[in-house]
């Protein structure tokens, strides 16, 4: 497989409706939140887990046919007891070979990792890095309470109560980078890059557990560069345009995405850019310099904008 030769920059937008995008276990599993800006936050770890789960469930990286995910829960037995594997025990399954891990495990090739091998510890910086995700508009955390199906113990006459914390609606954006220099060490391939983009989009669509259902990918924009350069801050160059207040926004019909700043910068750096790949939900509406603007599912040349 051909290894990554050129740098790419990623902008990913998705919506969440009446769900918890990334609970904080140290804060009653409330959604992570920037209280200064009143914007919801999502960790890069959450997005990477979404992608890993998609690879595992749908693309065959489940430990068979020399395709695996290194960072996943596995178990081992000792007598009658079953335990969760440590990182070093996980590495033993690959005969303590860093080359074998890189050859087999797509998540290490893409995201890097620490391989605790007895003879030595190998640390790989992942070619793919994401900045912490943030909503493009202000939102709030709502509290929902209800009753459970069971009592807390024997001889109880009432069922337990449950408390859930959710976001009514948010448009969340991630910035990402694919670093061709780091890819030389982890041996990330062009096929891995395709699976990364597929995992971002389809992995988000497959977040259909009770607490995560209500999340949909809306825009995946990838800027491919000719040289080791990137614009940076693609999410920060977008603006939300709406006749409603931020807290009233509830779906894609309530706003337009202003691409003026983003497209201006892409054109300004056209000599450094090979192409721009776009995957977009047809419900999303855009404006550029105050005019209605359309983005289609295709690969653009810079002069196309």
């Amino acid at each position: 497989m051909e290894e990554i030769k050129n740098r790419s920059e990623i902008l990913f937008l998705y919506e969440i409706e009446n769900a918890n995008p990334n609970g904080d276990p140290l804060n009653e599993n409330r959604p992570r939140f920037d209280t200064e800006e009143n914007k919801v936050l999502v960790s890069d770890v959450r997005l990477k887990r979404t992608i890993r789960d998609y690879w595992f469930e749908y693309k065959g990286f489940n430990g068979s046919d020399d395709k695996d995910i290194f960072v996943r829960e596995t178990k081992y037995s000792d007598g009658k007891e079953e335990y969760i594997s440590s990182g070093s025990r996980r590495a033993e399954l690959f005969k303590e070979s860093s080359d074998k891990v890189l050859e087999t495990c797509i998540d290490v090739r893409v995201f890097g990792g620490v391989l605790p091998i007895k003879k030595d510890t190998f640390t790989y910086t992942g070619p793919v890095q994401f900045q912490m995700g943030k909503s493009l508009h202000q939102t709030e955390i709502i509290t929902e309470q209800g009753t459970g199906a069971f009592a807390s113990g024997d001889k109880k006459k009432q069922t337990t109560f449950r408390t859930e914390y959710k976001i009514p609606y948010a448009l969340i954006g991630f910035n990402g980078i694919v670093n061709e220099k780091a890819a030389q060490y982890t041996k990330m391939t062009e096929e891995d890059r395709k699976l990364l983009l597929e995992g971002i989009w389809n992995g988000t669509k497959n977040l259909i557990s009770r607490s995560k259902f209500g999340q949909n990918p809306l825009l995946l924009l990838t800027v491919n560069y000719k040289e080791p350069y990137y614009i940076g801050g693609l999410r920060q160059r977008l603006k939300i345009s709406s006749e409603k207040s931020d807290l009233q926004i509830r779906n894609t019909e309530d706003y337009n995405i202003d691409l003026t700043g983003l497209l201006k910068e892409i054109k300004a750096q056209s000599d450094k850019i090979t192409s721009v790949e776009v995957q977009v939900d047809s419900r999303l509406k855009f404006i550029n310099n105050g005019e209605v603007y359309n983005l289609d599912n295709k690969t653009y040349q810079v002069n196309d904008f």
Side-chain angles (χ1 to χ4, degrees):
M1 293 286 183
E2 183 182 2
E3 294 178 9
I4 295 289
K5 293 293 190 297
N6 297 95
R7 188 164 299 182
S8 298
E9 189 172 8
I10 297 169
L11 170 66
F12 177 50
L13 303 182
Y14 69 100
E15 65 178 353
I16 180 165
E17 180 182 354
N18 198 35
N20 185 346
N22 187 200
D24 184 349
L26 299 180
N27 189 22
E28 302 179 274
N29 207 44
R30 296 171 185 265
R32 299 177 192 273
F33 206 72
D34 184 334
T35 55
E36 290 293 327
E37 290 190 298
N38 291 326
K39 293 183 177 181
V40 67
L41 301 171
V42 180
S43 71
D44 63 315
V45 175
R46 173 62 262 182
L47 180 57
K48 289 176 180 178
R49 180 178 175 183
T50 297
I51 298 165
R52 281 188 176 101
D53 288 349
Y54 175 78
W55 288 337
F56 180 84
E57 296 289 348
Y58 298 98
K59 305 306 293 187
F61 289 90
N62 53 19
S64 60
D65 298 326
D66 286 328
K67 295 168 63 176
D68 207 347
I69 301 294
F70 187 81
V71 181
R72 65 181 178 92
E73 183 179 301
T74 59
K75 297 181 179 181
Y76 68 96
S77 298
D78 187 355
K80 295 182 179 180
E81 297 295 330
E82 193 172 55
Y83 303 95
I84 297 174
S85 300
S86 64
S88 58
R89 184 176 288 272
R90 184 89 175 98
E92 290 176 4
L93 298 177
F94 301 92
K95 299 180 180 179
E96 302 228 341
S97 167
S98 60
D99 289 338
K100 183 64 175 177
V101 173
L102 292 176
E103 179 185 335
T104 306
C105 299
I106 185 174
D107 60 328
V108 180
R109 293 198 300 271
V110 174
F111 301 135
V114 178
L115 309 182
I117 294 173
K118 289 179 181 179
K119 296 179 181 178
D120 199 356
T121 296
F122 294 88
T123 300
Y124 292 101
T125 299
V128 176
Q129 300 293 336
F130 294 106
Q131 188 183 29
M132 196 165 203
K134 180 181 284 190
S135 60
L136 274 68
H137 57 94
Q138 293 185 337
T139 185
E140 61 185 337
I141 299 174
I142 57 175
T143 303
E144 292 184 357
Q145 290 186 318
T147 56
F150 302 102
S152 59
D154 291 336
K155 296 184 178 180
K156 301 287 184 179
K157 294 184 178 181
Q158 290 184 325
T159 59
T160 57
F161 289 91
R162 57 178 174 81
T163 302
E164 296 179 357
Y165 303 98
K166 299 180 179 181
I167 300 296
Y169 184 87
L171 174 65
I172 299 170
F174 270 96
N175 291 322
I177 194 78
V178 182
N179 183 352
E180 79 291 350
K181 294 299 182 182
Q184 294 175 6
Y185 298 98
T186 66
K187 302 178 182 179
M188 179 181 174
T189 66
E190 286 294 338
E191 179 63 23
D192 293 337
R193 192 183 81 90
K194 292 178 183 178
L195 287 169
L196 167 71
L197 298 178
E198 183 179 331
I200 293 173
W201 190 271
N202 290 336
T204 301
K205 288 187 74 71
N206 281 284
L207 290 172
I208 50 179
S209 65
R210 184 175 182 277
S211 64
K212 293 292 184 286
F213 186 60
Q215 301 186 68
N216 295 294
L218 295 177
L219 175 67
L220 180 57
L221 183 146
T222 308
V223 183
N224 300 312
Y225 293 98
K226 301 175 183 177
E227 55 188 82
Y229 168 88
Y230 68 101
I231 293 171
L234 300 185
R235 170 179 59 79
Q236 290 87 332
R237 298 175 192 276
L238 301 177
K239 293 182 180 179
I240 289 286
S241 176
S242 177
E243 296 182 356
K244 294 186 175 183
S245 70
D246 281 11
L247 297 184
Q248 291 177 319
I249 292 175
R250 288 295 183 272
N251 56 61
T252 56
E253 293 297 317
D254 292 338
Y255 60 85
N256 297 326
I257 297 179
D258 191 337
L259 296 173
T260 305
L262 176 61
L263 296 183
K264 180 180 179 181
E265 190 60 27
I266 288 176
K267 290 179 180 179
Q269 305 302 330
S270 61
D271 60 321
K272 302 179 181 69
I273 297 172
T274 303
S275 62
V276 179
E277 302 170 53
V278 173
Q279 189 166 359
V280 62
D281 188 302
S282 61
R283 295 173 299 147
L284 212 54
K285 297 171 294 182
F286 302 97
I287 56 175
N288 180 27
N289 290 315
E291 301 293 333
V292 174
Y293 191 85
N294 293 320
L295 281 177
D296 299 316
N297 290 306
K298 70 176 189 177
T299 298
Y300 289 84
Q301 303 304 310
V302 177
N303 293 334
D304 294 338
F305 291 112

